[in-house]
Amino acid sequence: MNEPSPLSDLGVPDTEHRGFVASLPEPIRSYAMLARFDRPIGSWLLFWPCAWGVLLAGGEERWGLILWLLLGSVAMRGAGCVYNDIVDADLDRQVARTAARPVASGRVSLQAAWSWLAVLCLVGLVVLLQLRFEAQLVALGSIALVAAYPFMKRVTWWPQAWLGLVFTWGSLVGWVEVRSDHLEALAALYAGSIVWCIGYDTIYALQDREDDALVGIRSSALRLGSRVRAGVGAFYALAVAFWALAFWALRPDWVALVALAPVVLHMAFQVLTLDPDNGENALARFRSNRDLGLVMALACWVVGNAGVI
């Protein structure tokens, strides 16, 4: 059997910055890939809920905090990917898109992967220490959810729901760092973020439906079948409903809800132009959620800082 080339996973559809990653010397390149530094979309999707929490809570002047949370998102997303690849190494070898990942292909040993995970967690610890005690406790509350996530695809058709709990936890951290009241608004923001994540990760899972079915991996994309577009639309509609509730809890004024109009338009574009049978189309719609995150951040900034709440 031929061993995979160190650059073999640069050709998979969801990688980015091929030139930057390809220019790194081995073994640094493999560690960068292991933490998905060639795929920054995940860091953005982890970061945006953090920013939403800060901005909707009224922290428009806390730019230092937002930058710390961005660094933490990059580090902890990388740590999560390393942990996921350690747990999923055997499954990854059976899926075409993931077979060349560093741990699955043997380019990075399990011991080295655990060491790299520790380094990334140390960066996360530095970020954690920048937060006030209450926010630190909230952040630490996600550890059990993160640890359980890689196993969810083995026991449920809806691992995307568990990912939603994990990947949008930052909204809780950002909010509690700024304020500790109006928890009903925070709950609605978090709930909306969870179903948004279910929607976009269902789109992402469309790329792997055939391989997942063959090796027994469960996903919402498989469960929804031919109704996947309608399912994503329903998740997005529910996300907007929860976010509208969060905005209303802070500012009970119909004008505040107008801030969500660009979010609605962006989500409608994703759903209406989604082709479930086209992997490149699905990947592009998935990646566009980075831009949706910015649009939602602007809406949170407008509502969260529109006078004294």
mmCIF file of all heavy atoms in Angstrom, residues 40-51 69-70 72-78 163 166-171 196 200:
data_model
loop_
_atom_site.group_PDB
_atom_site.id
_atom_site.type_symbol
_atom_site.label_atom_id
_atom_site.label_comp_id
_atom_site.label_asym_id
_atom_site.label_seq_id
_atom_site.Cartn_x
_atom_site.Cartn_y
_atom_site.Cartn_z
ATOM 1 N N PRO A 40 -10.012 27.870 8.232
ATOM 2 C CA PRO A 40 -10.369 28.828 9.291
ATOM 3 C C PRO A 40 -11.854 29.025 9.494
ATOM 4 O O PRO A 40 -12.261 29.643 10.483
ATOM 5 C CB PRO A 40 -9.701 30.123 8.815
ATOM 6 C CG PRO A 40 -9.592 29.977 7.334
ATOM 7 C CD PRO A 40 -9.323 28.520 7.102
ATOM 8 N N ILE A 41 -12.693 28.505 8.605
ATOM 9 C CA ILE A 41 -14.126 28.701 8.745
ATOM 10 C C ILE A 41 -14.618 28.215 10.111
ATOM 11 O O ILE A 41 -15.485 28.836 10.738
ATOM 12 C CB ILE A 41 -14.888 27.990 7.599
ATOM 13 C CG1 ILE A 41 -16.393 28.175 7.751
ATOM 14 C CG2 ILE A 41 -14.519 26.531 7.522
ATOM 15 C CD1 ILE A 41 -16.877 29.588 7.683
ATOM 16 N N GLY A 42 -14.076 27.114 10.608
ATOM 17 C CA GLY A 42 -14.508 26.599 11.898
ATOM 18 C C GLY A 42 -14.226 27.560 13.040
ATOM 19 O O GLY A 42 -15.037 27.695 13.967
ATOM 20 N N SER A 43 -13.076 28.221 12.984
ATOM 21 C CA SER A 43 -12.752 29.207 14.024
ATOM 22 C C SER A 43 -13.716 30.385 13.985
ATOM 23 O O SER A 43 -14.141 30.901 15.028
ATOM 24 C CB SER A 43 -11.310 29.700 13.836
ATOM 25 O OG SER A 43 -10.393 28.640 14.003
ATOM 26 N N TRP A 44 -14.082 30.819 12.790
ATOM 27 C CA TRP A 44 -15.052 31.909 12.664
ATOM 28 C C TRP A 44 -16.402 31.503 13.232
ATOM 29 O O TRP A 44 -17.063 32.285 13.935
ATOM 30 C CB TRP A 44 -15.196 32.323 11.200
ATOM 31 C CG TRP A 44 -14.070 33.152 10.674
ATOM 32 C CD1 TRP A 44 -13.164 32.801 9.716
ATOM 33 C CD2 TRP A 44 -13.719 34.479 11.085
ATOM 34 N NE1 TRP A 44 -12.268 33.819 9.501
ATOM 35 C CE2 TRP A 44 -12.585 34.868 10.330
ATOM 36 C CE3 TRP A 44 -14.237 35.368 12.018
ATOM 37 C CZ2 TRP A 44 -11.967 36.098 10.481
ATOM 38 C CZ3 TRP A 44 -13.632 36.608 12.178
ATOM 39 C CH2 TRP A 44 -12.508 36.965 11.411
ATOM 40 N N LEU A 45 -16.832 30.290 12.927
ATOM 41 C CA LEU A 45 -18.147 29.842 13.395
ATOM 42 C C LEU A 45 -18.169 29.669 14.911
ATOM 43 O O LEU A 45 -19.221 29.817 15.537
ATOM 44 C CB LEU A 45 -18.529 28.544 12.700
ATOM 45 C CG LEU A 45 -18.746 28.653 11.188
ATOM 46 C CD1 LEU A 45 -19.036 27.279 10.584
ATOM 47 C CD2 LEU A 45 -19.875 29.624 10.859
ATOM 48 N N LEU A 46 -17.032 29.345 15.499
ATOM 49 C CA LEU A 46 -16.947 29.271 16.952
ATOM 50 C C LEU A 46 -16.885 30.660 17.571
ATOM 51 O O LEU A 46 -17.434 30.900 18.657
ATOM 52 C CB LEU A 46 -15.707 28.462 17.352
ATOM 53 C CG LEU A 46 -15.511 28.169 18.838
ATOM 54 C CD1 LEU A 46 -16.659 27.325 19.381
ATOM 55 C CD2 LEU A 46 -14.178 27.468 19.069
ATOM 56 N N PHE A 47 -16.234 31.587 16.873
ATOM 57 C CA PHE A 47 -16.050 32.934 17.407
ATOM 58 C C PHE A 47 -17.308 33.788 17.375
ATOM 59 O O PHE A 47 -17.585 34.530 18.325
ATOM 60 C CB PHE A 47 -14.941 33.637 16.620
ATOM 61 C CG PHE A 47 -14.915 35.130 16.804
ATOM 62 C CD1 PHE A 47 -14.509 35.690 18.005
ATOM 63 C CD2 PHE A 47 -15.319 35.979 15.775
ATOM 64 C CE1 PHE A 47 -14.493 37.075 18.188
ATOM 65 C CE2 PHE A 47 -15.317 37.349 15.943
ATOM 66 C CZ PHE A 47 -14.901 37.903 17.160
ATOM 67 N N TRP A 48 -18.066 33.719 16.293
ATOM 68 C CA TRP A 48 -19.174 34.664 16.141
ATOM 69 C C TRP A 48 -20.170 34.641 17.292
ATOM 70 O O TRP A 48 -20.585 35.709 17.766
ATOM 71 C CB TRP A 48 -19.864 34.476 14.791
ATOM 72 C CG TRP A 48 -19.126 35.085 13.647
ATOM 73 C CD1 TRP A 48 -18.709 34.456 12.515
ATOM 74 C CD2 TRP A 48 -18.679 36.446 13.525
ATOM 75 N NE1 TRP A 48 -18.034 35.330 11.704
ATOM 76 C CE2 TRP A 48 -17.997 36.562 12.289
ATOM 77 C CE3 TRP A 48 -18.775 37.573 14.344
ATOM 78 C CZ2 TRP A 48 -17.439 37.761 11.860
ATOM 79 C CZ3 TRP A 48 -18.210 38.766 13.919
ATOM 80 C CH2 TRP A 48 -17.556 38.856 12.701
ATOM 81 N N PRO A 49 -20.605 33.485 17.804
ATOM 82 C CA PRO A 49 -21.502 33.528 18.961
ATOM 83 C C PRO A 49 -20.884 34.231 20.172
ATOM 84 O O PRO A 49 -21.611 34.869 20.952
ATOM 85 C CB PRO A 49 -21.777 32.046 19.250
ATOM 86 C CG PRO A 49 -21.638 31.394 17.904
ATOM 87 C CD PRO A 49 -20.493 32.110 17.254
ATOM 88 N N CYS A 50 -19.558 34.115 20.340
ATOM 89 C CA CYS A 50 -18.887 34.855 21.421
ATOM 90 C C CYS A 50 -19.104 36.352 21.237
ATOM 91 O O CYS A 50 -19.463 37.068 22.186
ATOM 92 C CB CYS A 50 -17.396 34.559 21.423
ATOM 93 S SG CYS A 50 -16.904 32.844 21.594
ATOM 94 N N ALA A 51 -18.877 36.816 20.017
ATOM 95 C CA ALA A 51 -19.049 38.241 19.719
ATOM 96 C C ALA A 51 -20.499 38.658 19.876
ATOM 97 O O ALA A 51 -20.785 39.752 20.381
ATOM 98 C CB ALA A 51 -18.555 38.532 18.298
ATOM 99 N N LEU A 69 -11.335 36.604 22.815
ATOM 100 C CA LEU A 69 -12.247 35.522 22.460
ATOM 101 C C LEU A 69 -11.961 34.974 21.061
ATOM 102 O O LEU A 69 -12.148 33.780 20.809
ATOM 103 C CB LEU A 69 -13.699 36.011 22.551
ATOM 104 C CG LEU A 69 -14.188 36.324 23.971
ATOM 105 C CD1 LEU A 69 -15.581 36.956 23.932
ATOM 106 C CD2 LEU A 69 -14.188 35.078 24.842
ATOM 107 N N LEU A 70 -11.486 35.830 20.166
ATOM 108 C CA LEU A 70 -11.086 35.358 18.845
ATOM 109 C C LEU A 70 -9.892 34.423 18.950
ATOM 110 O O LEU A 70 -9.869 33.348 18.332
ATOM 111 C CB LEU A 70 -10.754 36.549 17.948
ATOM 112 C CG LEU A 70 -10.241 36.211 16.540
ATOM 113 C CD1 LEU A 70 -11.249 35.369 15.774
ATOM 114 C CD2 LEU A 70 -9.910 37.496 15.763
ATOM 115 N N GLY A 72 -9.041 32.720 21.582
ATOM 116 C CA GLY A 72 -9.521 31.505 22.224
ATOM 117 C C GLY A 72 -10.278 30.607 21.275
ATOM 118 O O GLY A 72 -10.175 29.375 21.340
ATOM 119 N N SER A 73 -11.027 31.207 20.354
ATOM 120 C CA SER A 73 -11.781 30.419 19.380
ATOM 121 C C SER A 73 -10.851 29.651 18.453
ATOM 122 O O SER A 73 -11.088 28.477 18.141
ATOM 123 C CB SER A 73 -12.704 31.338 18.569
ATOM 124 O OG SER A 73 -13.662 31.958 19.396
ATOM 125 N N VAL A 74 -9.793 30.300 18.004
ATOM 126 C CA VAL A 74 -8.824 29.628 17.128
ATOM 127 C C VAL A 74 -8.159 28.470 17.866
ATOM 128 O O VAL A 74 -8.056 27.350 17.340
ATOM 129 C CB VAL A 74 -7.765 30.630 16.623
ATOM 130 C CG1 VAL A 74 -6.667 29.900 15.846
ATOM 131 C CG2 VAL A 74 -8.410 31.701 15.750
ATOM 132 N N ALA A 75 -7.721 28.735 19.105
ATOM 133 C CA ALA A 75 -7.018 27.704 19.864
ATOM 134 C C ALA A 75 -7.928 26.543 20.222
ATOM 135 O O ALA A 75 -7.570 25.374 20.050
ATOM 136 C CB ALA A 75 -6.415 28.316 21.130
ATOM 137 N N MET A 76 -9.130 26.858 20.724
ATOM 138 C CA MET A 76 -9.999 25.791 21.189
ATOM 139 C C MET A 76 -10.674 25.040 20.037
ATOM 140 O O MET A 76 -10.972 23.855 20.158
ATOM 141 C CB MET A 76 -11.040 26.345 22.158
ATOM 142 C CG MET A 76 -10.422 26.943 23.422
ATOM 143 S SD MET A 76 -9.094 25.919 24.145
ATOM 144 C CE MET A 76 -9.976 24.416 24.581
ATOM 145 N N ARG A 77 -10.911 25.721 18.932
ATOM 146 C CA ARG A 77 -11.390 24.986 17.760
ATOM 147 C C ARG A 77 -10.309 24.015 17.314
ATOM 148 O O ARG A 77 -10.582 22.861 16.965
ATOM 149 C CB ARG A 77 -11.751 25.964 16.648
ATOM 150 C CG ARG A 77 -12.404 25.295 15.429
ATOM 151 C CD ARG A 77 -11.400 25.006 14.347
ATOM 152 N NE ARG A 77 -12.020 24.449 13.145
ATOM 153 C CZ ARG A 77 -11.531 24.577 11.943
ATOM 154 N NH1 ARG A 77 -10.417 25.260 11.759
ATOM 155 N NH2 ARG A 77 -12.142 24.037 10.909
ATOM 156 N N GLY A 78 -9.047 24.478 17.303
ATOM 157 C CA GLY A 78 -7.946 23.592 16.945
ATOM 158 C C GLY A 78 -7.839 22.417 17.900
ATOM 159 O O GLY A 78 -7.653 21.276 17.483
ATOM 160 N N LEU A 163 -23.323 19.284 18.511
ATOM 161 C CA LEU A 163 -22.353 20.283 18.064
ATOM 162 C C LEU A 163 -22.885 21.687 18.323
ATOM 163 O O LEU A 163 -22.130 22.584 18.706
ATOM 164 C CB LEU A 163 -22.050 20.107 16.579
ATOM 165 C CG LEU A 163 -21.017 21.088 16.006
ATOM 166 C CD1 LEU A 163 -19.639 20.789 16.570
ATOM 167 C CD2 LEU A 163 -20.988 21.040 14.485
ATOM 168 N N VAL A 166 -22.206 22.730 21.776
ATOM 169 C CA VAL A 166 -20.785 22.982 22.003
ATOM 170 C C VAL A 166 -20.305 24.239 21.286
ATOM 171 O O VAL A 166 -19.651 25.111 21.878
ATOM 172 C CB VAL A 166 -19.952 21.767 21.542
ATOM 173 C CG1 VAL A 166 -18.460 22.085 21.605
ATOM 174 C CG2 VAL A 166 -20.286 20.543 22.374
ATOM 175 N N PHE A 167 -20.626 24.341 20.009
ATOM 176 C CA PHE A 167 -20.003 25.341 19.145
ATOM 177 C C PHE A 167 -20.554 26.743 19.366
ATOM 178 O O PHE A 167 -19.965 27.719 18.885
ATOM 179 C CB PHE A 167 -20.164 24.937 17.671
ATOM 180 C CG PHE A 167 -18.861 24.902 16.933
ATOM 181 C CD1 PHE A 167 -17.879 24.003 17.299
ATOM 182 C CD2 PHE A 167 -18.609 25.749 15.877
ATOM 183 C CE1 PHE A 167 -16.673 23.962 16.627
ATOM 184 C CE2 PHE A 167 -17.396 25.726 15.193
ATOM 185 C CZ PHE A 167 -16.423 24.825 15.580
ATOM 186 N N THR A 168 -21.679 26.867 20.057
ATOM 187 C CA THR A 168 -22.239 28.200 20.296
ATOM 188 C C THR A 168 -22.201 28.569 21.772
ATOM 189 O O THR A 168 -22.796 29.557 22.175
ATOM 190 C CB THR A 168 -23.686 28.273 19.776
ATOM 191 O OG1 THR A 168 -24.513 27.360 20.499
ATOM 192 C CG2 THR A 168 -23.746 27.937 18.295
ATOM 193 N N TRP A 169 -21.481 27.782 22.557
ATOM 194 C CA TRP A 169 -21.352 28.034 23.993
ATOM 195 C C TRP A 169 -20.734 29.404 24.264
ATOM 196 O O TRP A 169 -20.971 30.022 25.306
ATOM 197 C CB TRP A 169 -20.508 26.925 24.620
ATOM 198 C CG TRP A 169 -20.525 26.886 26.113
ATOM 199 C CD1 TRP A 169 -19.660 27.509 26.973
ATOM 200 C CD2 TRP A 169 -21.461 26.172 26.936
ATOM 201 N NE1 TRP A 169 -19.990 27.220 28.272
ATOM 202 C CE2 TRP A 169 -21.089 26.400 28.279
ATOM 203 C CE3 TRP A 169 -22.556 25.362 26.669
ATOM 204 C CZ2 TRP A 169 -21.790 25.842 29.352
ATOM 205 C CZ3 TRP A 169 -23.258 24.806 27.732
ATOM 206 C CH2 TRP A 169 -22.875 25.059 29.047
ATOM 207 N N GLY A 170 -19.943 29.882 23.344
ATOM 208 C CA GLY A 170 -19.286 31.175 23.523
ATOM 209 C C GLY A 170 -20.255 32.323 23.711
ATOM 210 O O GLY A 170 -19.896 33.353 24.304
ATOM 211 N N SER A 171 -21.495 32.193 23.214
ATOM 212 C CA SER A 171 -22.479 33.255 23.433
ATOM 213 C C SER A 171 -22.743 33.433 24.920
ATOM 214 O O SER A 171 -22.923 34.560 25.404
ATOM 215 C CB SER A 171 -23.782 32.947 22.681
ATOM 216 O OG SER A 171 -24.352 31.728 23.138
ATOM 217 N N TRP A 196 -29.203 27.347 14.542
ATOM 218 C CA TRP A 196 -28.418 27.844 13.403
ATOM 219 C C TRP A 196 -27.279 26.876 13.101
ATOM 220 O O TRP A 196 -27.038 26.502 11.941
ATOM 221 C CB TRP A 196 -27.874 29.231 13.720
ATOM 222 C CG TRP A 196 -26.825 29.745 12.790
ATOM 223 C CD1 TRP A 196 -26.956 30.036 11.461
ATOM 224 C CD2 TRP A 196 -25.456 30.069 13.127
ATOM 225 N NE1 TRP A 196 -25.762 30.516 10.954
ATOM 226 C CE2 TRP A 196 -24.837 30.547 11.953
ATOM 227 C CE3 TRP A 196 -24.716 30.014 14.304
ATOM 228 C CZ2 TRP A 196 -23.500 30.947 11.933
ATOM 229 C CZ3 TRP A 196 -23.390 30.417 14.287
ATOM 230 C CH2 TRP A 196 -22.796 30.882 13.103
ATOM 231 N N TYR A 200 -26.425 24.802 9.589
ATOM 232 C CA TYR A 200 -25.249 24.902 8.728
ATOM 233 C C TYR A 200 -24.424 23.619 8.748
ATOM 234 O O TYR A 200 -23.775 23.273 7.755
ATOM 235 C CB TYR A 200 -24.408 26.139 9.033
ATOM 236 C CG TYR A 200 -23.596 26.168 10.318
ATOM 237 C CD1 TYR A 200 -22.586 25.260 10.580
ATOM 238 C CD2 TYR A 200 -23.797 27.181 11.259
ATOM 239 C CE1 TYR A 200 -21.817 25.316 11.726
ATOM 240 C CE2 TYR A 200 -23.045 27.259 12.418
ATOM 241 C CZ TYR A 200 -22.052 26.320 12.650
ATOM 242 O OH TYR A 200 -21.293 26.386 13.795
#
